[in-house]
Amino acid sequence: MPTRFIFITGGVVSSLGKGLASASLGALLQARGYKVRLRKLDPYLNVDPGTMNPTQHGEVFVTDDGAETDLDLGHYERFTDVSARRSDSVSTGQIYSTLLTKERRGDYLGGTVQVIPHVTDLIKEFILRDTDDEDFILCEIGGTVGDIEGLPFLEAIRQLGWELGRERVMYIHLTLVPYIAAAKELKTKPTQHSVKELRMIGIQPDILLCRAEREIPLAERRKIALFCNIREEAVIAGLDVNSIYEVPRRYSEQGFDKQVLKIFGIEDIGKPDLKKWDDILERVQNPKGEITVAIVGKYTGIGDAYKSLCEALDHAGIANKVKVNIRWVDAAGFENQDVGKMLADVDAVLVPGGFGERGVNGKIAAINYARTHNKPYLGICFGMQLAVIEYARNVLGVKDAASTEFAPYVDGNGKGPLVGLMTEWQRGSVVETRSRGGDLGGTMRLGAYECDIASGSLAEKIYGNARISERHRHRYEVNMQYREEFEKSGMWFSGVSPEGHLPEIVELKKHPWFVGVQFHPELKSRPFAPHPLFASFVKAALAEDKKHKKAA
Ligand code: GLN
């Protein structure tokens, strides 16, 4: 079967769940036995989201091959378990950066470089390159139809429909059908306008996904179908659900995957096998208990800024059959407050990845509390570096222990800062380098690196493996030269990079569960395969919860 391309656009407003709809369709096609890959095309001008504030754009999702991408790629991975690649995410910034390099090199010599055909050609190249033997490539176009910067992308996908033929290209459009309380009616006009906008640029959608708060009556569906040139069965309602794991099942019930196959002319009368989704939903809906984890970070209350983290905790809840509640603690807000008051009743403490000075003292105070009160602690990336710093300050007595990220290094003991900028490290047999004062974009230690785990450690028990691979995104490293002092007093560098230069995991010997990891385990957690670190962390939190209840 030739690879078919499905383009998903959005209309009316943003935040309708285009990423989840795309991921769900991927999962549904997979559940019918097809091979899928998902891609994201983002019209913004940043080269990648790596330099964007998470409050604006949500978390930066990192792929194995070290690309900093949109958080939707996280949804794709979690729903389909297909590891995303650098080539699965592109932005206008990347396209233009390639284009301008080519222009300077003289590739277009003599010609006038234009949006059509040069930008659109590059977009098409991106869509078609680096594919395997997938049956379906799903491409989600970021933004909303009508955005100025989205136009070249829409033109490119229109051209592909023409070039590859409609047997191989399909357009799905996601819109909103709002309920107007005063009129007690669902309104179809915004959808009609959105489709009109698409058709003006030459794209006739094949399927409409209509997000709505309530059931869309047949009359309204017919109206949408008639005015938008779409068969009635291809107007699919996307109703609000309680859990994201319900989305594939609900869309399938509405005939989404069936319509996709039908439009492509693929005879497939069977049903997708959704057992694993139903099993998960069963567990999510019937937890046997609950625990509370405090996340001490900078972007509290903005779930998207820690999307994969929240998902990984949910997965760990699924693994332990409990509901995981999150208490957001603003690290910048409690330096001078009594941390005990904020953390005494939580079952575990987590300090996630982060950058910069703001909130550092609060995070260190929280780590200190977890360490001295035997609360399960998971420190991720910055949370690991700060755990090492907290230990140096309060156990080893090095009062000014710090990272050069937030404090200048002054002491001259010859070993350098405890946490500092690495200018050189190794990936396999390749030495990678970074220059001080270089670009900020894309210059971190990014992507998958291996780590060797010490035998007899908690990390080994958790992973059940001596060598693991996890994804990284950071600029600074814990300085290996201090290892001995730490290990002598009970903080074990239980995971190190294969050549032995970089600490990857630290743990405390005399603590029920205290682990810091330099990498981001949350990026590899899946609902069907909860990450062992998170599963173990939540299990430890559950034990802490039982202790509380007993004491009460
Ligand atoms: N700010 C730290 C660094 O760059 C940690 C990064 C992170 O937590 N992702 O090394």
Side-chain angles (χ1 to χ4, degrees):
M1 176 167 134
T3 303
R4 290 170 161 90
F5 293 84
I6 301 175
F7 296 107
I8 301 119
T9 55
V12 186
V13 290
S14 58
S15 305
L16 289 179
K18 204 160 19 115
L20 271 178
S22 309
S24 298
L25 178 59
L28 288 172
L29 292 169
Q30 224 181 23
R32 285 177 174 269
Y34 296 105
K35 189 167 173 192
V36 300
R37 172 163 290 283
L38 285 114
R39 297 197 149 153
K40 178 85 194 272
L41 293 83
D42 273 308
Y44 52 70
L45 285 163
N46 303 62
V47 171
D48 62 40
T51 50
M52 281 194 234
N53 189 324
T55 53
Q56 278 195 24
H57 197 259
E59 82 172 0
V60 176
F61 190 80
V62 181
T63 57
D64 275 331
D65 58 2
E68 296 179 276
T69 70
D70 188 82
L71 57 73
D72 277 323
L73 272 81
H75 289 311
Y76 305 163
E77 282 204 6
R78 287 186 286 272
F79 272 48
T80 63
D81 199 25
V82 176
S83 286
R85 302 193 284 239
R86 179 175 295 276
S87 53
D88 293 327
S89 161
V90 80
S91 66
T92 299
Q94 254 173 66
I95 298 279
Y96 272 88
S97 161
T98 311
L99 180 103
L100 294 176
T101 309
K102 280 160 82 86
E103 190 274 335
R104 290 291 83 186
R105 211 168 48 203
D107 287 13
Y108 306 113
L109 218 51
T112 310
V113 185
Q114 293 176 300
V115 172
I116 302 172
H118 301 101
V119 170
T120 45
D121 278 355
L122 282 178
I123 296 174
K124 286 193 288 181
E125 255 171 55
F126 162 79
I127 293 168
L128 299 173
R129 82 184 164 184
D130 196 24
T131 59
D132 299 325
D133 54 344
E134 286 90 0
D135 299 307
F136 297 99
I137 307 260
L138 287 74
C139 296
E140 178 189 345
I141 319 289
T144 309
V145 167
D147 296 345
I148 288 179
E149 60 267 44
L151 281 172
F153 288 91
L154 297 176
E155 171 59 13
I157 64 171
R158 182 198 67 76
Q159 290 182 9
L160 275 178
W162 173 251
E163 286 167 359
L164 298 176
R166 296 307 303 271
E167 324 71 71
R168 286 186 63 197
V169 170
M170 170 180 308
Y171 304 104
I172 295 174
H173 190 54
L174 177 74
T175 71
L176 177 70
V177 178
Y179 178 75
I180 306 297
K184 294 199 179 61
E185 265 180 59
L186 282 166
K187 291 293 183 188
T188 65
K189 193 75 88 193
T191 297
Q192 296 177 40
H193 276 291
S194 188
V195 172
K196 188 169 115 196
E197 187 84 24
L198 260 184
R199 286 167 56 200
M200 260 163 31
I201 33 189
I203 296 175
Q204 166 64 53
D206 301 286
I207 293 182
L208 269 187
L209 295 180
C210 301
R211 285 298 310 276
E213 273 173 51
R214 48 189 77 200
E215 210 71 58
I216 304 178
L218 191 61
E220 266 68 33
R221 282 233 314 239
R222 286 202 169 133
K223 196 163 149 190
I224 295 173
L226 180 66
F227 294 158
C228 298
N229 256 357
I230 290 172
R231 281 181 306 109
E232 212 174 287
E233 317 83 82
V235 178
I236 311 262
L239 302 180
D240 293 348
V241 289
N242 292 323
S243 159
I244 57 167
Y245 307 117
E246 222 174 311
V247 179
R249 162 68 72 200
R250 297 289 160 255
Y251 270 137
S252 189
E253 279 168 3
Q254 300 278 329
F256 189 14
D257 43 318
K258 200 168 136 196
Q259 289 305 319
V260 167
L261 297 178
K262 190 166 169 193
I263 290 165
F264 275 133
I266 300 169
E267 285 283 331
D268 191 337
I269 40 165
K271 285 197 169 143
D273 177 6
L274 296 181
K275 182 166 179 327
K276 66 177 184 178
W277 290 97
D278 294 339
D279 287 349
I280 283 186
L281 202 56
E282 219 284 315
R283 278 175 175 247
V284 171
Q285 285 169 341
N286 304 295
K288 304 257 180 296
E290 56 186 305
I291 57 137
T292 302
V293 176
I295 296 185
V296 185
K298 247 179 12 180
Y299 307 115
T300 55
I302 309 167
D304 270 3
Y306 299 110
K307 191 77 204 157
S308 296
L309 184 64
C310 298
E311 296 288 323
L313 284 167
D314 275 351
H315 304 162
I318 292 172
N320 288 282
K321 292 198 181 149
V322 292
K323 179 170 188 298
V324 178
N325 301 311
I326 292 173
R327 177 178 307 166
W328 297 103
V329 178
D330 179 9
F334 79 101
E335 295 187 14
N336 303 317
Q337 291 173 34
D338 183 7
V339 344
K341 273 196 216 125
M342 316 190 71
L343 302 178
D345 59 336
V346 300
D347 304 306
V349 177
L350 193 155
V351 174
F355 293 85
E357 190 177 355
R358 195 165 64 85
V360 158
N361 291 336
K363 292 178 191 177
I364 292 180
I367 297 169
N368 178 269
Y369 185 85
R371 182 175 61 76
T372 53
H373 290 76
N374 279 339
K375 288 238 186 247
Y377 173 73
L378 176 57
I380 296 176
C381 208
F382 208 26
M384 176 259 207
Q385 297 171 357
L386 293 176
V388 173
I389 290 168
E390 189 280 324
Y391 199 79
R393 287 185 184 179
N394 300 316
V395 181
L396 303 180
V398 189
K399 290 283 166 264
D400 54 0
S403 163
T404 48
E405 181 170 5
F406 56 82
Y409 176 60
V410 275
D411 186 37
N413 67 2
K415 289 189 185 178
L418 177 57
V419 182
L421 201 62
M422 280 285 286
T423 50
E424 210 176 272
W425 64 89
Q426 219 165 320
R427 190 203 290 260
S429 55
V430 182
V431 176
E432 303 187 333
T433 53
R434 162 198 310 121
S435 64
R436 275 165 215 276
D439 281 356
L440 284 185
T443 55
M444 288 186 264
R445 183 147 80 100
L446 287 167
Y449 286 85
E450 291 187 317
C451 159
D452 285 343
I453 296 183
S455 90
S457 61
L458 173 62
E460 187 198 44
K461 213 164 101 195
I462 291 170
Y463 277 97
N465 226 328
R467 176 162 288 189
I468 56 162
S469 168
E470 292 279 11
R471 296 182 195 168
H472 290 246
R473 180 172 185 255
H474 54 105
R475 227 169 243 119
Y476 299 83
E477 307 279 352
V478 172
N479 187 339
M480 201 57 152
Q481 296 193 63
Y482 293 97
R483 181 179 195 172
E484 226 183 286
E485 290 160 58
F486 278 88
E487 297 204 330
K488 259 197 236 146
S489 86
M491 181 175 261
W492 190 358
F493 290 14
S494 57
V496 294
S497 58
E499 78 295 337
H501 292 161
L502 305 170
E504 301 278 16
I505 307 177
V506 299
E507 59 185 75
L508 286 182
K509 287 187 180 154
K510 291 203 185 101
H511 191 288
W513 208 102
F514 188 104
V515 179
V517 292
Q518 184 59 78
F519 43 80
H520 288 271
E522 70 273 24
L523 300 178
K524 284 180 72 169
S525 188
R526 309 274 186 265
F528 318 109
H531 194 288
L533 256 177
F534 284 93
S536 171
F537 176 59
V538 165
K539 195 170 164 200
L542 205 54
E544 174 73 11
D545 180 62
K546 286 207 179 102
K547 224 165 64 193
H548 274 164
K549 289 202 176 113
K550 231 177 174 174

